[in-house]
Amino acid sequence: MRWKRTIQLLDVHAEGEIGKVAIGGVPKIPGETVAAQLHWLNTDPKGQELRRFLCLEPRGAPIGSVNLLLPPKHPDADAAFIILQPDQAHASSGSNSICVTTALLESGIVEMKEPETIVTLETAAGLVKATATCRDGRCEKVKLTMVPSFVHELDVEIDTPHWGKIKADICYGGIFYALVDVGQINSKIEKANAAALVQAGMVLKDLINRQMPVVHPEIPAISGVAYVMFRDIEADGTVRTCTTMWPGRADRSPCGTGNSANLATLYARGKAKVGDTFKSKSIIGSEFEVGLQAVTEVAGKPAVIPTITGRGFTFGLSQVALDPFDPHPLGFALTDVWGPSAGEI
C-alpha cells in the first residue's frame, strides 16, 4: 500500500471522554513555542489540513479528540502536546492530559516507576504536572496540577431569543469557558437531555463570542470562549457538569479545564479555599476529584492553582492513513451525525 501519510494512534479515554494520542508519524509542527505551534495549526492551511485529516470523516468522528505528541520546548517538560478537535486546535484539556499521561507511561515512551511517576506536560497554556499512581505496569489514576485559572468576568448578562436574559461566568481554566447554571435554560444535566443541552450550548457560545471577545492577557494565541459548560450542584455538594463542544456534542468526562475555570468562580465568591476538594460528575456519571492547591495571580488578576484527579484507560492501537487517490483528503461532516453546525465545517 502506497499511502501518502500515516499516523499511529494509541486509543485512550479518561472517564469516558476519548482522547486518542498520536504517538508516531506526527509531522514537524512549526513554531518556537507550543503556543506558536497552536497558532500555526489554527491559521496555516497545512495545519488545518492535518486537523481535518485526523478529526473529520472518514478517518475521524465527532466524539473525542486527537492529541499530537510533540517534542517539548521547555527544559523541564517530558513531552508536549496539542489537542485537535473538529473545530480547531485547543491549548489545554484535563481529560486529554490524563489520556496523554496514560499513553506515555503504558506505551513506555516515558519510563513508568511504581508506585508513582511524575510526568511534566507542556501545553500552549503552560506546564501541567501529572502525578500518576502506577501498579503492575498500569497507570491507575492521574492527578493533574493545572495551569493558573482565573475569572474574566462574573454574572455577564446575555440576551437570548429562547430563555430571555441569562447570566454566565466567563472564566479561564486553560481555555476560556462560559459557565452557566443549567436551571436558567429550564433543564437538568441528564443523559436524556444531552441533545438539548448541546443545542443550547452552541447557541450560547455563538451569542457570547459575538458580544464579548476575550483574549488571554499573556498568551494571545488563546482567545475566544471555546466551550459553554452547564453546571449544577447536587444535594451532597457534588458539582454536576455538561460541557458542550462544537459542532454539537457533550463532553463525556466531568471536564478538567471546565472544573478549573469553575473553581476560580467558587474562590472568587468565597465558596472555596486552599485545601478544599470536591467531586465533579459528568453527564454519564463519571467522576473527577477537584482540589484548590494554591492561589496566585495572572496579569494582576487573582487566580487559583487547581488539581484534577481521574483515570485513563487504553483500549486500542490504530493507524490512520491517506490513500493518494482518496477524493476526501480534507474530510467532511454531515448534519445527520454531526448536528446542525456541521454545515459550517
Side-chain angles (χ1 to χ4, degrees):
M1 288 174 284
R2 293 180 293 180
W3 287 326
K4 185 178 179 181
R5 166 184 281 165
T6 60
I7 295 180
Q8 292 74 48
L9 301 172
L10 186 58
D11 300 333
V12 194
H13 77 83
E15 304 296 350
E17 177 66 10
I18 295 171
K20 297 185 177 185
V21 182
I23 59 174
V26 177
K28 184 177 180 180
I29 307 299
E32 295 300 315
T33 66
V34 180
Q37 292 175 308
L38 174 74
H39 180 72
W40 182 85
L41 285 164
N42 280 328
T43 57
D44 190 277
K46 291 184 178 179
Q48 295 175 48
E49 177 184 320
L50 176 62
R51 171 180 53 78
R52 294 177 65 99
F53 167 73
L54 289 168
C55 295
L56 299 187
E57 295 181 68
R59 290 159 290 273
I63 303 302
S65 307
V66 175
N67 298 290
L68 293 183
L69 275 187
L70 303 171
K73 307 289 187 180
H74 196 287
D76 295 335
D78 297 295
F81 76 101
I82 292 174
I83 304 111
L84 300 184
Q85 292 178 354
D87 60 339
Q88 64 181 74
H90 291 275
S92 184
S93 164
S95 65
N96 283 293
S97 293
I98 291 172
C99 288
V100 168
T101 301
T102 303
L104 289 170
L105 294 177
E106 294 195 2
S107 69
I109 294 174
V110 172
E111 182 184 2
M112 180 184 292
K113 298 176 182 178
E114 299 182 10
E116 186 176 278
T117 309
I118 295 176
V119 181
T120 302
L121 302 173
E122 185 175 9
T123 75
L127 296 181
V128 173
K129 177 185 175 184
T131 303
T133 300
C134 305
R135 183 171 59 177
D136 298 330
R138 179 172 170 267
C139 180
E140 291 188 323
K141 67 177 180 179
V142 179
K143 179 178 181 179
L144 304 171
T145 303
M146 303 290 279
V147 300
S149 302
F150 58 87
V151 169
H152 178 76
E153 189 173 344
L154 296 176
D155 294 324
V156 175
E157 285 198 347
I158 307 295
D159 289 315
T160 73
H162 305 286
W163 312 284
K165 285 189 176 181
I166 69 161
K167 290 183 178 180
D169 296 333
I170 310 300
C171 305
Y172 177 82
I175 47 182
F176 281 104
Y177 280 81
L179 307 171
V180 177
D181 293 333
V182 72
Q184 294 186 93
I185 62 165
N186 305 312
S187 189
K188 294 182 178 180
I189 299 173
E190 298 173 350
K191 289 180 183 178
N193 296 336
L197 290 169
V198 164
Q199 290 171 8
M202 296 303 96
V203 170
L204 291 173
K205 178 187 171 183
D206 182 59
L207 288 171
I208 291 165
N209 276 323
R210 282 195 273 122
Q211 293 181 33
M212 189 176 186
V214 291
V215 180
H216 192 285
E218 296 177 344
I219 312 171
I222 302 176
S223 64
V225 168
Y227 308 123
V228 171
M229 186 176 89
F230 294 108
R231 62 189 176 187
D232 203 357
I233 300 289
E234 298 187 345
D236 64 357
T238 298
V239 175
R240 191 87 175 197
T241 71
C242 177
T243 295
T244 58
M245 311 174 79
W246 195 90
R249 73 176 187 89
D251 190 339
R252 272 63 173 158
S253 82
C255 191
T257 46
N259 266 294
S260 296
N262 189 51
L263 186 64
T265 73
L266 295 175
Y267 177 74
R269 291 190 168 105
K271 295 182 178 181
K273 63 183 185 302
V274 173
D276 284 353
T277 62
F278 60 88
K279 286 183 180 179
S280 180
K281 284 187 179 180
S282 73
I283 195 168
I284 66 168
S286 57
E287 294 184 1
F288 282 163
E289 182 181 85
V290 182
L292 203 171
Q293 179 172 290
V295 295
T296 184
E297 288 188 354
V298 174
K301 289 178 176 287
V304 298
I305 305 294
T307 61
I308 303 290
T309 304
R311 300 168 300 169
F313 303 90
T314 59
F315 63 91
L317 183 66
S318 58
Q319 181 168 261
V320 178
L322 178 62
D323 185 318
F325 299 101
D326 190 328
H328 304 291
L330 295 180
F332 56 84
L334 294 178
T335 56
D336 61 340
V337 172
W338 295 70
S341 296
E344 302 169 26
I345 295 177

